[in-house]
Amino acid sequence: MDETTQQPHILLVDGMALLFRSFFATAVRGQYFRNADGIPTNGVSGFARHVMTAQTIFQPTHLAVCWDMGAYTFRNDLYEGYKSNRPEPPEELKPQFDMARNVSEMMGWKNFGEPGMEADDLIGTITKKYNDAKITIISGDKDLLQLLKPNVQIAFTKKGFNIYDIYSHERFVEEYQIAPHAFADVKAFMGDSSDGYAGVKGIGPKTALQFIQKYGSVDGVLESLHELTPSQRKKIEENLEMLHLSKKLAVIHCDCPIEVDIKDLSLPVFNEELLQELEASGLGSVARQAVTLIS
């Protein structure tokens, strides 16, 4: 933690989530905003503008962008079918993966990516390290709910660049009636169709949540199988291996091997050189918004 008296406020951005969201928001109308080389920039432009808008809204003192580094992660080692049901990204999006990270570095934002890990795991690692800071996470991924703590809020993208559905620790506990870390136990039972793991077949979100509300965890449910209905017991016993595997897949790992120094997360100062570089890269709309953040 830094030595200033002000509590740091770290904005943690799920870079790939914003890139995908921005790409599809404009691609549906065929707007790819190609640069002078003919390369689409719509996702990259939207990503950068989204982060700058978030800076204005949340007024952080520090900022980091976390990235997925390829489709294959340690979760694929645990389960070959993990995320295997997802379609290939569109051709217009593929060149924007590297471009987005390059532009993020150009903007001066601190970037984190670790082969074999997901952005969620990097976000979790930074959140764990800076337990005394105020932290705002920006993403569209509900898995991150398990990271909520009194000092952590999650701003889920909802509409445009500036409308969010914000979850605090207090709101989550009030709505779900469980501890945030137990959200992974809920997912262990209900599974996740977008990530390609089944949980316990026949156990839906409502029953999964009721299990954890009453018994606290997967282990708590298994210790109380005699209290469940015969149908519920049968479903769990027939899918026991997948239940345990689903829990491993659902848990965000907060001990990634990354070096994080809060001084490196300080907000950058934009200047004319950056604006010229953005314009030369075909990112005029990003440059125009960056002007508003030059003090």
Side-chain angles (χ1 to χ4, degrees), residues 37-207:
D37 296 322
I39 300 172
T41 65
N42 59 322
V44 174
S45 176
F47 153 74
R49 295 182 63 196
H50 211 136
V51 176
M52 285 189 288
T53 302
Q55 281 187 237
T56 301
I57 294 171
F58 296 106
Q59 294 291 302
T61 59
H62 299 77
L63 188 154
V65 184
C66 297
W67 299 94
D68 298 321
M69 300 294 287
Y72 196 91
T73 72
F74 76 94
R75 292 180 176 87
N76 296 99
D77 292 330
L78 294 173
Y79 180 50
E80 189 176 352
Y82 184 70
K83 292 189 177 180
S84 63
N85 57 340
R86 295 194 178 184
E88 276 280 308
E91 289 302 315
E92 293 86 357
L93 177 57
K94 290 179 180 178
Q96 297 191 61
F97 292 139
D98 289 340
M99 186 192 302
R101 181 157 179 167
N102 290 339
V103 168
S104 187
E105 291 173 353
M106 182 193 305
M107 302 292 288
W109 298 323
K110 182 65 176 177
N111 293 269
F112 292 93
E114 184 71 21
M117 308 302 292
E118 297 184 44
D120 287 6
D121 303 308
L122 303 175
I123 290 171
T125 297
I126 298 172
T127 299
K128 179 181 177 182
K129 180 174 176 64
Y130 293 108
N131 199 42
D132 294 331
K134 178 181 178 181
I135 294 176
T136 298
I137 300 168
I138 293 181
S139 181
D141 188 351
K142 292 295 175 69
D143 288 345
L144 290 162
L145 286 169
Q146 63 190 273
L147 298 180
L148 284 169
K149 292 183 290 186
N151 66 309
V152 177
Q153 67 176 0
I154 303 175
F156 290 112
T157 50
K158 190 172 181 181
K159 185 178 181 182
F161 291 143
N162 58 358
I163 299 178
Y164 293 93
D165 184 18
I166 299 177
Y167 266 85
S168 63
H169 180 272
E170 183 180 23
R171 177 187 171 185
F172 177 89
V173 172
E174 184 177 332
E175 287 188 13
Y176 285 84
Q177 298 295 303
I178 61 173
H181 69 80
F183 188 64
D185 295 77
V186 175
K187 293 202 66 179
F189 281 101
M190 62 181 272
D192 187 325
S193 58
S194 67
D195 284 345
Y197 59 90
V200 176
K201 292 181 180 177
I203 300 295
K206 183 177 179 181
T207 301

Side-chain angles (χ1 to χ4, degrees), residues 184-229:
D185 295 77
V186 175
K187 293 202 66 179
F189 281 101
M190 62 181 272
D192 187 325
S193 58
S194 67
D195 284 345
Y197 59 90
V200 176
K201 292 181 180 177
I203 300 295
K206 183 177 179 181
T207 301
L209 180 57
Q210 289 172 345
F211 281 165
I212 305 307
Q213 286 172 337
K214 185 171 184 179
Y215 300 109
S217 66
V218 168
D219 288 341
V221 174
L222 295 180
E223 290 168 2
S224 307
L225 283 178
H226 59 282
E227 297 182 15
L228 308 184
T229 68

Side-chain angles (χ1 to χ4, degrees), residues 1-2 4 6-10 61-62 132-135 262:
M1 192 61 61
D2 66 5
T4 64
Q6 179 188 13
Q7 181 191 30
H9 179 186
I10 305 173
T61 59
H62 299 77
D132 294 331
K134 178 181 178 181
I135 294 176
I262 198 164

